[in-house]
Amino acid sequence: MAESRNILIADDNEEARQLFCDIIKLLGFTPKAVSSGVAALQQLKVTPFDMVILDMRMPDLNGLDTFKAIRQFDSSVPVVLTTGFGMDKGVQEALSQGALLCLEKPFNVARTMKTIREIVEKESPKK
Amino acid sequence: MAERSKILVIDDEKRMCDSIKVLLSNIGYEVDTAENGRIGIERLKAQEYGLVITDLMMPELDGFAVMKHIRENCQNTLVIVITGYASVESAVRAIRSGAYDYILKPFDFEIIKISVERAWDKLKLEKELEKTRKLAQVAERALAMNNELNNPLSVASGFAQLLQIRAENSGDEVLKRQIDSIVKASESIHQMTTQFRRFAHTLLNENAEHDLGMM
């Protein structure tokens, strides 16, 4: 791949972050992992990303609130959620406000890779 | 409270104690007696009683002292007080300070029997309620843990699937079979957590703490 795509991952669980980093590297993209919603917002303000993956349950700022905060200053970056707790109200709200989809943990890696590639290529095409 | 919890009768008239004991023993209750408040409290310290029937007017420690001890030390014990017609106001005071029922002297034994049976039903109901509450707590905890399980499971399953991709063209059949087994086992666990979540949500939405008792 000529030009790398940057994907931001926010998850408070270290292994989960590593898993997403490995998946994204396997796709040929560049992962940047942070452990909180606040850290994700800080990253997004200084670096453009082609996609953001947010875990719904994080201690300081949860996935829904992080998503809402992102939309305050970036109306277009594709956002995908992850959750281990089912499609609850928070997930529904984020989806209704424009989050693309929610990956329920545990997930199928091959399908997830395909999904990430499609989102990055469709939603964030390189000029 | 044990299934066969006992009744304690406290009265300074020995004849009264004995007749109540005979009456209640005849209909299947286990009864101890004490001839004054002090001895009554000693018995209460030594073992648990479901129900205490106490006279209010007694030398040394009266029925109110017994009730105070019960309030402070035996939260699951019900009290029925016995008092003379002349002192109805003390019966009212006893009810205000937590007695379950009162019986005015002189009384028909049938009255005692009815009061004791009602108290016993209440004790049984409270026990059931307590059990249901505990089961509901267990269920809530189980659901939370079940959901929590999906996080480490997704890590195990995710890395196993990544290994599967790497091993695909390795030609190492044993390695592939071993990794496949981890992936399959993860899928089984996931099916279980999904089933449990659906089951719990169906019950919780339908209603009833009672239903949780079935889990």
Side-chain angles (χ1 to χ4, degrees), chain A residues 13 15-16 18-19 22-23 26 55 57 83-87 104-110 113, chain B residues 144 146-148 150-155 157-159 161-162 165-166 186-187 190 193 197 201:
Chain A
N13 180 283
E15 268 76 33
Q18 190 58 59
L19 175 63
D22 287 1
I23 288 173
L26 200 59
D55 189 41
R57 185 169 296 194
T83 183
F85 301 91
M87 305 294 262
E104 280 198 80
K105 293 175 179 176
F107 50 83
N108 179 294
V109 168
M113 286 174 71
Chain B
N146 180 70
N147 284 341
E148 209 60 63
N150 281 331
N151 285 318
L153 178 61
S154 82
V155 171
S157 145
F159 281 120
Q161 291 176 71
L162 281 176
I165 294 170
R166 277 177 71 168
S186 305
E187 277 163 12
H190 184 213
T193 61
R197 181 194 284 155
H201 279 301

Side-chain angles (χ1 to χ4, degrees), chain B residues 119-176:
Chain B
W120 217 252
D121 285 347
K122 182 176 157 71
L123 286 172
K124 255 164 62 186
L125 217 66
E126 274 173 3
K127 220 168 76 182
E128 290 284 310
L129 199 66
E130 183 56 27
K131 205 170 127 192
T132 307
R133 276 196 206 108
K134 280 184 186 154
L135 278 168
Q137 275 175 9
V138 169
E140 220 169 275
R141 188 72 176 273
L143 182 59
M145 277 174 63
N146 180 70
N147 284 341
E148 209 60 63
L149 208 60
N150 281 331
N151 285 318
L153 178 61
S154 82
V155 171
S157 145
F159 281 120
Q161 291 176 71
L162 281 176
L163 284 174
Q164 227 172 8
I165 294 170
R166 277 177 71 168
E168 208 164 43
N169 300 315
S170 67
D172 187 337
E173 293 309 315
V174 175
L175 180 67
K176 277 158 72 174

Side-chain angles (χ1 to χ4, degrees), chain A residues 97-117:
Chain A
Q97 292 189 24
L100 286 180
L101 57 96
C102 181
L103 286 172
E104 280 198 80
K105 293 175 179 176
F107 50 83
N108 179 294
V109 168
R111 264 206 304 277
T112 300
M113 286 174 71
K114 191 164 170 278
T115 306
I116 293 174
R117 183 188 296 282

Side-chain angles (χ1 to χ4, degrees), chain B residues 5 24 33 82 104 114 123-124 138-139 145-146 148 151 159 161 178 183 192 195 213:
Chain B
S5 63
L24 294 175
T33 59
I82 299 175
L104 297 178
I114 290 168
L123 286 172
K124 255 164 62 186
V138 169
M145 277 174 63
N146 180 70
E148 209 60 63
N151 285 318
F159 281 120
Q161 291 176 71
Q178 288 168 341
V183 172
M192 288 177 218
Q195 269 171 19

